[in-house]
Amino acid sequence: MRFRHRDGTLVHLAYCTNVHQAEDLGGVLAQLARFGEPVRERLGVDRLGVGLWLARPVAAELAGDPAAVDRLKRELAARGLEVVTFNGFPYQGFHDPVVKHKVYRPDWAAPERTRYTLDLARLLARLLPDDAVRGSVSTLPLGWRTDWRGDDGQLAVLAKGLAEQDRPVRVAFEPEPGCVIETTAQAAALLSEVDKEWLGVCLDTCHLAVGFEDPAAALGRLEAAGLAVVKLQASAALEAAEPSDPVTRVALESFVEPRFLHQSTEGAPPGADDLDLALAGGLPGRAPWRVHFHVPLHADPAPPLTSTRPVLAVTLAELFGGVAARTDHVEVETYTWQVLPDAPADDAGLVAGIAAELDWTRRALTTLGLEEVSA
């Protein structure tokens, strides 16, 4: 979906396909028919944005086969889908039974991370709609904090490769709790020397909330550092107002699951590296908890738990409520549908949920004065 800001900026809204399991081109094409097109039809729009996640094997296959890229492009057009952004955070195996810390490997010290990201950028340049100003690729915040030894010049190689492309694609580092860059303050400090024409920040509002960051202050910090918000990931975290309450603890325990990491904080980072560790005494429980568990945007979890949707709403207002748009790519990224305690029972349930999230975001944008426009 597309929106026109009052300053004339064309704002693209998409949903991220890392919610779907696909590690080869056939799987990616199948998910467009199985989910992408049905979501578009349910929303009643002529064009729907998808933020593609292409696992390393798919990216490698497409990078070496121009005919396969053309096939993907034709399939997107036939389904009424468009792509202006990729999620390049997970490298592969994002739907393995256990992902946890594996999602941060390879990190930005590894040349294979650079090669993968540049492959994505080159592919995206071929898929961009003709009227898109630029593309974006979100990526991990350098690496997990305990593994990091420095980027060894990889960010300079990345920027040089991006500058050589025919169509502009920017790469956005996504602050996340527990990582080398977990807050916007760390982003401002650790990305101070990068080429800011090509490299910036992906602001994920679940992560922002888990860091207990104020959206206005966070955006001001990034702007003062000269770092663009290349992309917003519209997401909400799980919140518990009284984590020591026995009923609340039982509710939180239902969100403990083996696949993804659910960093948890109490008031501010640092926190516990996973929800089960927080519940086992990793956090004192004297103040509200926020948990890195992406929950649906349009509906709160069952009481007594809530979500940080208000942080998302304030962030959208900060980005789009003024005289100038402060980003042009918005991606709904709830990748945890299948591990929710009340996970959708079938494809129809997942399609309905994704469509409802996009509709919530669409209404939030139009409330801020953006005009929805046809492709």
Side-chain angles (χ1 to χ4, degrees):
M1 289 185 283
R2 295 159 164 227
F3 300 82
R4 187 72 65 183
H5 190 269
R6 60 183 63 85
D7 69 354
T9 299
L10 185 63
V11 177
H12 299 265
L13 173 62
Y15 89 89
C16 186
T17 66
N18 64 356
V19 65
H20 309 310
Q21 182 173 358
E23 302 255 342
D24 57 33
L25 180 56
V28 172
L29 296 175
Q31 71 185 212
L32 301 179
R34 184 178 169 189
F35 299 106
E37 186 174 18
V39 169
R40 179 185 64 76
E41 291 173 342
R42 189 176 182 94
L43 287 165
V45 295
D46 56 2
R47 181 101 9 207
L48 175 67
V50 288
L52 283 183
W53 172 59
L54 301 178
R56 181 60 196 157
V58 189
E61 180 182 356
L62 288 166
D65 188 351
V69 180
D70 290 338
R71 181 185 175 198
L72 174 57
K73 193 169 185 176
R74 289 193 302 270
E75 188 70 13
L76 287 163
R79 304 287 177 191
L81 307 173
E82 70 175 13
V83 180
V84 301
T85 189
F86 280 170
N87 188 321
F89 196 131
Y91 191 77
Q92 61 188 45
F94 194 54
H95 289 267
D96 287 351
V98 179
V99 177
K100 300 293 184 181
H101 292 87
K102 290 191 298 182
V103 76
Y104 307 109
R105 298 191 291 267
D107 65 18
W108 273 103
E112 55 264 40
R113 172 61 70 173
T114 308
R115 289 193 292 269
Y116 169 58
T117 307
L118 285 173
D119 278 349
L120 292 178
R122 293 174 187 127
L123 292 169
L124 180 55
R126 294 194 58 188
L127 297 175
L128 283 174
D130 291 340
D131 61 349
V133 174
R134 55 186 159 246
S136 63
V137 178
S138 51
T139 188
L140 69 160
L142 300 182
W144 187 251
R145 67 186 187 281
T146 57
D147 301 332
W148 185 243
R149 299 295 180 269
D151 74 288
D152 199 26
Q154 293 304 311
L155 301 190
V157 175
L158 171 66
K160 182 175 184 295
L162 295 171
E164 293 170 350
Q165 295 199 165
D166 292 334
R167 297 197 66 185
V169 174
R170 298 186 294 178
V171 169
F173 298 89
E174 182 183 331
E176 178 173 317
C179 294
V180 180
I181 299 174
E182 62 178 349
T183 65
T184 55
Q186 290 171 328
L190 295 174
L191 299 176
S192 61
E193 301 301 320
V194 302
D195 186 336
K196 297 180 181 68
E197 182 177 359
W198 300 107
L199 308 181
V201 169
C202 171
L203 197 65
D204 183 301
T205 50
C206 169
H207 304 172
L208 191 74
V210 174
F212 285 86
E213 293 200 63
D214 173 74
L219 288 167
R221 219 172 275 126
L222 295 175
E223 288 180 354
L227 289 166
V229 178
V230 171
K231 172 179 175 178
L232 174 74
Q233 282 183 330
S235 57
L238 186 67
E239 184 164 33
E242 298 182 8
S244 61
D245 171 67
V247 175
T248 300
R249 292 184 70 83
V250 170
L252 285 167
E253 286 165 1
S254 71
F255 284 84
V256 173
E257 56 84 28
R259 182 178 297 169
F260 300 119
L261 202 62
H262 300 297
Q263 303 94 311
S264 305
T265 57
E266 182 172 329
D273 283 352
D274 213 340
L275 178 56
D276 59 342
L277 300 176
L279 288 165
L283 294 177
R286 292 189 290 269
W289 287 5
R290 290 178 176 176
V291 181
H292 177 217
F293 198 122
H294 289 219
V295 294
L297 303 186
H298 62 287
D300 281 332
L305 302 179
T306 58
S307 86
T308 61
R309 188 190 309 112
V311 176
L312 169 57
V314 171
T315 305
L316 288 171
E318 290 291 333
L319 287 168
F320 299 112
V323 296
R326 296 164 83 174
T327 191
D328 56 354
H329 291 177
V330 179
E331 178 184 69
V332 170
E333 199 221 11
T334 306
Y335 60 83
T336 47
W337 278 99
Q338 292 93 340
V339 297
L340 287 167
D342 55 348
D346 52 23
D347 287 0
L350 181 55
V351 166
I354 292 170
E357 290 193 290
L358 286 164
D359 186 58
W360 183 92
T361 310
R362 169 169 62 181
R363 288 184 284 109
L365 291 173
T366 55
T367 298
L368 290 169
L370 281 74
E371 179 187 3
E372 187 170 354
V373 296
S374 299

